[in-house]
Amino acid sequence: MIKNNNFLEIPNINSKDANFKELIYEVDDSLFNAYNNSKKDFEHLCVCSGGTTSSCAKDGFTTLDLRKNYSNIHLDRESNLVKIGGGVIMGDLINYLQKHNRSFPIGLSKLPGAGYILTGGVSPLSRSYGLAIDNIESIKGFLGNGSFISLKNNQINPEKQLIWEAIKGAAAFFSIITEIELKTIQSNPIKVIEGFVNLNELSEIIKLSEEFPENISLQWIYAQKIYIYVFAELKNNLEDKRTEEYLMLLDKFPTLEKNFYKNFNNINFFPKELNLYKMNSNNHSEVISLLGEDLKNDIPIFINCLNEIMNNKPNNSCYVASQQLGCKTKKSNHGSSFFVHRKSTWKPWIYASWKKNDLQEKEVAMDWIYKSWSNLKRFYPNIHLAQLHNHLNSHKEELSLAFGGRMNELKTLKNIFDPQCILPPL
Ligand SMILES: Cc1cc2nc3c(=O)[nH]c(=O)nc-3n(C[C@H](O)[C@H](O)[C@H](O)COP(=O)(O)OP(=O)(O)OC[C@H]3O[C@@H](n4cnc5c(N)ncnc54)[C@H](O)[C@@H]3O)c2cc1C
């Protein structure tokens, strides 16, 4: 992206390097007419919130950067509901909430913006509090046809019901969300058991984790080495006793250490040694996120498959990782949404990276991501559409594996509410 005085740094390097056509900061109904008259047929508006994906800015496309004018955060102390702008990043949200001893189930990084919430939002706390979308109380924004929308949970009239459900998981295809109201949670201390393990130990830990109660979750990452995080929220003395019993099962792994954190904000996931989330400015990357259920008896064959994938990785920047959901994310009492694979208990993701401008290395890395995805499909058949990939060949398949039986409803919404295809295409 070209830098100018009004420009805010974009964390994703692909997007940062894009030669965008125009940068806009304000969304109102006039934007839609003006943009529609100037856009070419194939073009769509790129929307940037946290700017952590490869689709928030593209060569020759206009970007609407919500970070400048939609970054307000306000907590109502009575209801403990927080209103955030559509351009708020998750780190700012939980830092703000911490001042009031509140928190929110953000993901493994503080960098992502509202895209984290609108695409589902899988947190180490999700097993206790549901996905980020399950905590949405109301939204305001614009549909692709320029009309303003304001929707509140439990006050949705029947003709708006489908829009409300689709905003929770598929908003990016037909709307621009400028304000989100969220439930917040009490900020509690966290115990984390973490360290490097070998493949056999990972296998044993996955087995143990599939029996974890809802306040404990496992996240692991296999880069050059394997690092695990067992994350336990400490809530009250009675539950903490049970938590300790589960955590004691990990005492037999000599490389793991226990850390105590006063709150979620103090945790930085994945050790500096792995050098993962510090975006390398010389590299471009893509990520595909999968969804599946407990591995149970398949753990040994999964571990073999993972080993083979990692033996074939094209360079040391590529990795596979996974986070655990389940328990509350399986419950349907949050209301229907477009995160349809509610049975899922694992969300692995495959990350491929290459030297930017090296098209040959890109081809090899993308080939690895697709082959790895294909090998992992037997364990994780579905997709978590956390990143929009309309610039990749896998886009159609990812859409159908993410939205399943609701794909036709999404197409209908797109036709009605974004008929000129101003927003990213399906
Ligand atoms: C380091 C890192 C760690 C992550 N960890 C997790 C995790 O633990 N759990 C998890 O679920 N995901 C995780 N993600 C994935 C991340 O949540 C998604 O990729 C998310 O889409 C990023 O949102 P963003 O706002 O930062 O990105 P952006 O690139 O700004 O936006 C992504 C897309 O979302 C759409 N969008 C964003 N904001 C709006 C809006 N207000 N209205 C309409 N459309 C909008 C845009 O179309 C855009 O193309 C992680 C990503 C990174 C980089």
Side-chain angles (χ1 to χ4, degrees):
M1 230 188 202
I2 303 156
K3 294 178 183 69
N4 60 39
N5 287 342
N6 288 326
F7 170 74
L8 294 159
E9 193 75 21
I10 290 212
N12 182 279
I13 308 299
N14 308 40
S15 292
K16 186 179 172 181
D17 289 337
N19 283 314
F20 62 89
K21 181 164 118 184
E22 199 189 342
L23 201 51
I24 43 182
Y25 299 104
E26 199 58 52
V27 38
D28 51 35
D29 43 12
S30 65
L31 171 148
F32 296 89
N33 288 337
Y35 174 72
N36 200 25
N37 290 337
S38 69
K39 94 176 182 84
K40 300 201 177 84
D41 269 357
F42 61 87
E43 238 184 279
H44 64 81
L45 191 64
C46 296
V47 178
C48 176
S49 179
T52 61
T53 73
S54 58
S55 60
C56 66
K58 290 181 182 169
D59 289 350
F61 284 54
T62 297
T63 285
L64 167 67
D65 191 341
L66 295 169
R67 295 174 297 172
K68 199 169 162 209
N69 295 339
Y70 300 92
S71 56
N72 282 349
I73 309 177
H74 177 75
L75 176 72
D76 180 316
R77 288 301 288 143
E78 288 221 332
S79 62
N80 278 325
L81 296 174
V82 68
K83 277 189 182 155
I84 64 167
V88 164
I89 66 164
M90 295 302 104
D92 289 345
L93 171 62
I94 62 162
N95 284 335
Y96 172 95
L97 291 177
Q98 190 52 50
K99 292 184 197 133
H100 304 278
N101 206 23
R102 306 293 298 171
S103 194
F104 184 77
I106 70 157
L108 299 173
S109 164
K110 293 170 185 160
L111 288 180
Y116 164 78
I117 297 170
L118 297 171
T119 55
V122 180
S123 166
L125 289 165
S126 284
R127 289 162 61 80
S128 287
Y129 301 102
L131 300 168
I133 48 169
D134 299 333
N135 293 286
I136 298 181
E137 259 312 290
S138 72
I139 60 96
K140 286 188 178 146
F142 291 81
L143 298 170
N145 60 10
S147 53
F148 176 74
I149 39 159
S150 173
L151 302 174
K152 189 159 178 58
N153 197 16
N154 298 326
Q155 296 175 21
I156 314 278
N157 65 36
E159 83 247 26
K160 298 277 167 57
Q161 182 61 26
L162 189 58
I163 301 180
W164 174 245
E165 291 176 15
I167 278 175
K168 298 187 283 176
F173 295 104
F174 67 97
S175 65
I176 298 167
I177 304 302
T178 51
E179 184 183 285
I180 312 174
E181 187 180 38
L182 300 161
K183 288 183 195 129
T184 61
I185 58 175
Q186 161 82 33
S187 169
N188 285 322
I190 311 285
K191 199 166 209 180
V192 177
I193 315 281
E194 60 181 291
F196 289 101
V197 295
N198 63 35
L199 212 45
N200 287 336
E201 290 169 327
L202 177 66
S203 170
E204 277 189 68
I205 293 166
I206 291 175
K207 189 161 188 222
L208 291 175
S209 70
E210 293 193 344
E211 305 297 327
F212 281 163
E214 66 173 34
N215 67 319
I216 310 185
S217 63
L218 168 69
Q219 10 282 311
W220 57 261
I221 181 150
Y222 191 169
Q224 293 187 58
K225 294 196 270 177
I226 306 167
Y227 199 87
I228 69 127
Y229 267 91
V230 173
F231 175 106
E233 187 194 17
L234 305 177
K235 283 183 180 167
N236 56 54
N237 289 342
L238 195 72
E239 254 187 53
D240 292 354
K241 248 184 162 179
R242 193 175 62 137
T243 302
E244 278 311 321
E245 281 165 21
Y246 279 99
L247 296 183
M248 261 161 52
L249 300 171
L250 298 160
D251 284 351
K252 66 175 188 172
F253 301 100
T255 50
L256 298 185
E257 59 178 54
K258 284 187 185 144
N259 289 313
F260 178 84
Y261 297 91
K262 263 168 66 187
N263 53 58
F264 194 1
N265 303 33
N266 296 346
I267 306 175
N268 282 317
F269 280 96
F270 303 118
K272 286 204 180 70
E273 296 97 297
L274 290 179
N275 214 4
L276 292 169
Y277 290 153
K278 203 179 146 292
M279 310 271 182
N280 181 336
S281 60
N282 298 318
N283 283 8
H284 282 180
S285 59
E286 294 291 355
V287 188
I288 294 189
S289 304
L290 318 182
L291 286 170
E293 295 179 46
D294 277 356
L295 292 163
K296 295 192 176 127
N297 294 335
D298 284 343
I299 295 174
I301 44 168
F302 164 72
I303 292 288
N304 282 341
C305 174
L306 182 63
N307 194 24
E308 205 180 304
I309 287 172
M310 296 313 288
N311 285 339
N312 290 327
K313 76 181 161 130
N315 63 58
N316 281 336
S317 306
C318 298
Y319 68 81
V320 178
S322 187
Q323 58 188 139
Q324 191 176 17
L325 56 164
C327 298
K328 284 276 158 60
T329 64
K330 287 183 164 185
K331 300 259 164 19
S332 56
N333 59 348
H334 321 284
S336 193
S337 74
F338 271 48
F339 188 99
V340 299
H341 301 297
R342 285 284 172 176
K343 284 187 179 159
S344 311
T345 52
W346 291 109
K347 176 203 156 176
W349 70 98
I350 318 167
Y351 176 96
S353 162
W354 57 90
K355 266 186 255 69
K356 62 188 182 194
N357 306 326
D358 187 334
L359 291 182
Q360 211 179 338
E361 201 188 339
K362 176 180 179 182
E363 199 181 316
V364 174
M366 289 308 292
D367 194 47
W368 175 78
I369 223 177
Y370 288 136
K371 282 200 177 119
S372 307
W373 175 23
S374 165
N375 290 335
L376 288 173
K377 264 184 195 158
R378 61 184 289 196
F379 311 103
Y380 309 108
N382 298 312
I383 286 285
H384 173 210
L385 207 74
Q387 293 83 12
L388 305 190
H389 286 156
N390 50 292
H391 53 288
L392 297 180
N393 294 337
S394 52
H395 181 56
K396 290 263 178 273
E397 187 180 358
E398 285 187 65
L399 284 175
S400 103
L401 294 178
F403 300 116
R406 303 211 80 169
M407 192 59 212
N408 281 339
E409 288 172 293
L410 186 55
K411 281 185 186 158
T412 305
L413 284 173
K414 178 88 177 160
N415 286 339
I416 300 173
F417 298 115
D418 185 24
Q420 312 290 339
C421 210
I422 282 181
L423 293 164
L426 281 174

